Amino acid sequence: QEGMPQTLSSTSMFTPCGFSPHLHTSKEGEQGGLIFQDGNLTSASLDALIQHLIPTTDYYPEKAYIFTFLLSSRLFIEPHELLSRVCHKCIEQQRLDDPVLDKARIRKFGPKILQLLTEWTETFPYDFQEERMIGHLKDMIHRIAPCDEAYWKKMNQLLQALNQKLATLSHGQDGIVKISTAVSDKLVAFKTKPPSIQREILSVCSDPYTLAQQLTHVELERLSHIGPEEFVQAFVHKDPLDGTKTCFSEQKKTSNLEAYVKWFNRLCYLVATEICMPAKKKQRAQVIEFFIDVARECFNIGNFNSLMAIISGMNMSPVSRLKKTWSKVKTAKFFILEHQMDPTGNFYNYRTALRGAAHRSLTAHSNREKIVIPFFSLLIKDIYFLNEGCANRLPNGHVNFEKFLELAKQVGEFITWKQVECPFEQDPNIIHYLHTAPIFTEDGLYLASYESESPENQTEKDRWKSLR
């Protein structure tokens, strides 16, 4: 590639259509230690892959390659070590240690290394929470800046943008942590039916459309904090070529991903609690119908995660055993939704709906049409199976790059979705309720359920007795 690539926003590299894993090469076979097949990079040694990431005066790596390699390299080498090696190779190749620098040459190289560092900070900002990472950035700039004053300015912009991004992310994380601790305290709050002062969902929000929109707010807010690398870090094992330590000696950096799964579980239990709580059958049926409408609207919005949580909550046995209550419910709409989220055929119906939503998102004119919130635990499961199903390294010690292109495709699509701005107005009152309303434990749900409709058989009678 001649000259500087045009600076694309970091999103453009992920749009599934713009994601071209075809790293073009004129000939098949081997090129600088990289193995190609049908024009695609399939495997290489780690060294060759690092070399392929490094810009020169007349080469800049493809966007898709940068993302794929930065995402997957952490299975073999920690980010600070990778950046250190990239900087050392640049210093060597561009002779940045020479007492007299070749200014013309460095002016060709400078914008490219800055572009690479910018892309890295934009896409994987969490990597730069480490002092060492910032140290490497600053060292690089000190070496090239004497050749062009503009590099200082560029570097300052980069660091400012990075600080801003990290501040936003950590501010959001703090908020989520505060809520999560509040929530876990509340989980055991009720063993038996609470007094009637307990507010219920319908007194806070009686319109299913509004609730579906507020749930979408919560989902997008939580998604925005998940770094793409968390998907890979969730599966970091020992690298077979380095038996001494796991790649990440520190705890796995997957806290946002875990917080998001906790939110899903909370929503399931909240739905079940709201249904089991009312004393009268008519009211319980009303709550069920309300949640069916909320779920349906979530489906229309493209919020599959909330949809699945609501259906799961309704399918919990303390809820599903309430036969008399369900007999008062118009269940046709519920069965349609259940059918959409039916797990048979590896969630065939849901995957079809997700593809439809993803397609709509690509051609969308408004933020509303762009929304795709996948059923998250299934996404994690897919990535888990992709990871378990293929080796990271081939028998000859090469990195299995084909696997990582597939991984990057799945994670890249997710990144596109998580960057959508929520188009709905926020209602702090409803959002506060969703995060803080007390919920029953499983035992509490059974107790409430048996008090609403007494046990049917001996098993249920015994369980009720032991709970009381």
Side-chain angles (χ1 to χ4, degrees):
Q1 280 160 294
E2 203 40 67
M4 260 308 275
Q6 69 289 33
T7 308
L8 297 162
S9 71
S10 61
T11 42
S12 60
M13 123 169 96
F14 311 115
T15 45
C17 56
F19 186 94
S20 85
H22 304 286
L23 301 157
H24 305 290
T25 167
S26 44
K27 61 180 184 0
E28 295 299 294
E30 190 169 348
Q31 195 181 315
L34 306 170
I35 309 295
F36 289 88
Q37 214 174 350
D38 302 328
N40 292 332
L41 175 55
T42 53
S43 75
S45 68
L46 187 58
D47 281 342
L49 290 171
I50 294 174
Q51 184 56 59
H52 197 56
L53 180 71
I54 293 172
T56 63
T57 52
D58 53 5
Y59 163 77
Y60 189 79
E62 285 199 8
K63 246 180 151 50
Y65 177 77
I66 296 172
F67 177 62
T68 305
F69 185 60
L70 290 180
L71 177 70
S72 54
S73 60
R74 57 199 69 240
L75 289 165
F76 308 98
I77 180 174
E78 289 188 49
H80 73 87
E81 205 179 318
L82 175 62
L83 185 54
S84 162
R85 283 174 67 174
V86 166
C87 291
H88 282 307
K89 286 195 176 212
C90 288
I91 291 166
E92 209 175 284
Q93 288 164 17
Q94 304 304 324
R95 300 198 285 281
L96 298 177
D97 267 343
D98 287 5
V100 180
L101 295 174
D102 177 346
K103 286 195 174 173
R105 176 192 176 100
I106 290 168
R107 280 200 197 103
K108 275 171 131 183
F109 166 74
K112 293 188 176 156
I113 187 67
L114 282 169
Q115 167 77 8
L116 180 69
L117 297 173
T118 304
E119 283 188 42
W120 194 336
T121 53
E122 280 178 0
T123 320
F124 299 96
Y126 289 127
D127 285 353
F128 293 86
Q129 281 171 316
E130 271 212 61
E131 276 303 307
R132 287 180 284 192
M133 292 291 281
I134 303 291
H136 293 314
L137 285 183
K138 288 182 171 165
D139 176 55
M140 197 68 223
I141 198 68
H142 278 291
R143 289 170 184 278
I144 61 173
C147 299
D148 191 335
E149 282 300 305
Y151 294 164
W152 287 120
K153 194 171 153 221
K154 189 94 169 98
M155 192 62 170
N156 278 330
Q157 285 170 339
L158 180 154
L159 289 171
Q160 262 173 330
L162 177 64
N163 282 332
Q164 216 173 343
K165 199 158 188 179
L166 286 173
T168 315
L169 290 169
S170 75
H171 168 71
Q173 272 178 313
D174 294 344
I176 284 177
V177 169
K178 277 195 199 82
I179 287 170
S180 298
T181 48
V183 166
S184 54
D185 298 343
K186 294 250 171 62
L187 183 64
V188 286
F190 306 149
K191 274 292 195 208
T192 57
K193 272 206 169 174
S196 54
I197 50 162
Q198 161 72 12
R199 287 160 79 201
E200 85 273 275
I201 189 76
L202 288 171
S203 68
V204 181
C205 175
S206 56
D207 174 42
Y209 289 90
T210 306
L211 188 61
Q213 294 181 354
Q214 298 309 304
L215 284 168
T216 304
H217 250 293
V218 175
E219 299 280 352
L220 285 170
E221 157 69 17
R222 290 185 161 243
L223 279 184
S224 69
H225 298 293
I226 298 172
E229 70 284 353
E230 293 192 40
F231 290 102
V232 174
Q233 271 149 217
F235 308 123
V236 167
H237 297 310
K238 280 196 163 132
D239 183 0
L241 291 195
D242 177 10
T244 51
K245 59 173 176 44
T246 45
C247 285
F248 284 85
S249 29
E250 322 109 82
Q251 112 297 357
K252 292 188 186 145
K253 305 177 186 131
T254 53
S255 52
N256 300 297
L257 198 135
E258 287 157 29
Y260 190 48
V261 174
K262 276 199 185 110
W263 150 252
F264 178 91
N265 294 335
R266 170 172 169 81
L267 184 53
C268 294
Y269 274 85
L270 181 65
V271 168
T273 300
E274 295 285 346
I275 294 170
C276 291
M277 222 165 16
K280 294 194 167 62
K281 178 169 64 188
K282 192 178 157 190
Q283 287 171 303
R284 289 193 300 273
Q286 195 190 349
V287 176
I288 291 178
E289 295 203 318
F290 172 72
F291 274 119
I292 291 171
D293 289 338
V294 175
R296 196 168 144 184
E297 184 53 21
C298 284
F299 180 83
N300 294 337
I301 289 174
N303 177 356
F304 297 106
N305 204 50
S306 293
L307 163 67
M308 197 55 161
I310 294 170
I311 291 175
S312 305
M314 290 179 162
N315 278 328
M316 287 176 82
S317 44
V319 178
S320 60
R321 68 169 290 282
L322 299 171
K323 307 265 189 311
K324 297 187 182 85
T325 303
W326 280 95
S327 70
K328 295 259 172 285
V329 174
K330 301 183 194 72
T331 47
K333 286 192 285 193
F334 181 61
F335 292 139
I336 291 169
L337 289 171
E338 259 202 322
H339 178 66
Q340 282 297 342
M341 302 310 269
D342 180 9
T344 44
N346 192 8
F347 288 91
Y348 178 80
N349 297 345
Y350 157 69
R351 290 179 191 279
T352 308
L354 180 70
R355 273 201 303 278
H359 185 73
R360 176 193 67 186
S361 175
L362 283 176
T363 55
H365 297 298
S366 67
N367 271 346
R368 199 195 156 120
E369 296 172 319
K370 277 189 195 147
I371 298 172
V372 185
I373 300 168
F375 169 30
F376 193 65
S377 40
L378 188 63
L379 176 68
I380 292 181
K381 203 167 127 185
D382 285 346
I383 290 175
Y384 176 79
F385 281 119
L386 168 65
N387 187 60
E388 289 294 299
C390 319
N392 289 338
R393 288 193 190 261
L394 302 174
N396 64 0
H398 270 194
V399 171
N400 181 1
F401 201 74
E402 230 170 340
K403 167 179 174 173
F404 297 125
L405 281 169
E406 185 50 45
L407 185 70
K409 203 163 87 187
Q410 292 192 19
V411 176
E413 195 169 34
F414 166 79
I415 293 185
T416 313
W417 297 336
K418 86 176 184 115
Q419 286 172 337
V420 175
E421 289 277 319
C422 191
F424 309 118
E425 199 161 330
Q426 204 169 357
D427 183 323
N429 203 9
I430 299 174
I431 288 183
H432 181 73
Y433 183 85
L434 288 171
H435 279 128
T436 58
I439 49 181
F440 285 129
T441 57
E442 196 169 353
D443 285 351
L445 283 173
Y446 272 109
L447 265 173
S449 178
Y450 294 142
E451 279 170 41
S452 299
E453 295 186 19
S454 48
E456 299 254 300
N457 53 40
Q458 202 49 50
T459 321
E460 291 196 343
K461 282 179 186 152
D462 293 345
R463 172 143 202 188
W464 196 21
K465 213 165 127 184
S466 75
L467 284 174
R468 280 186 307 181

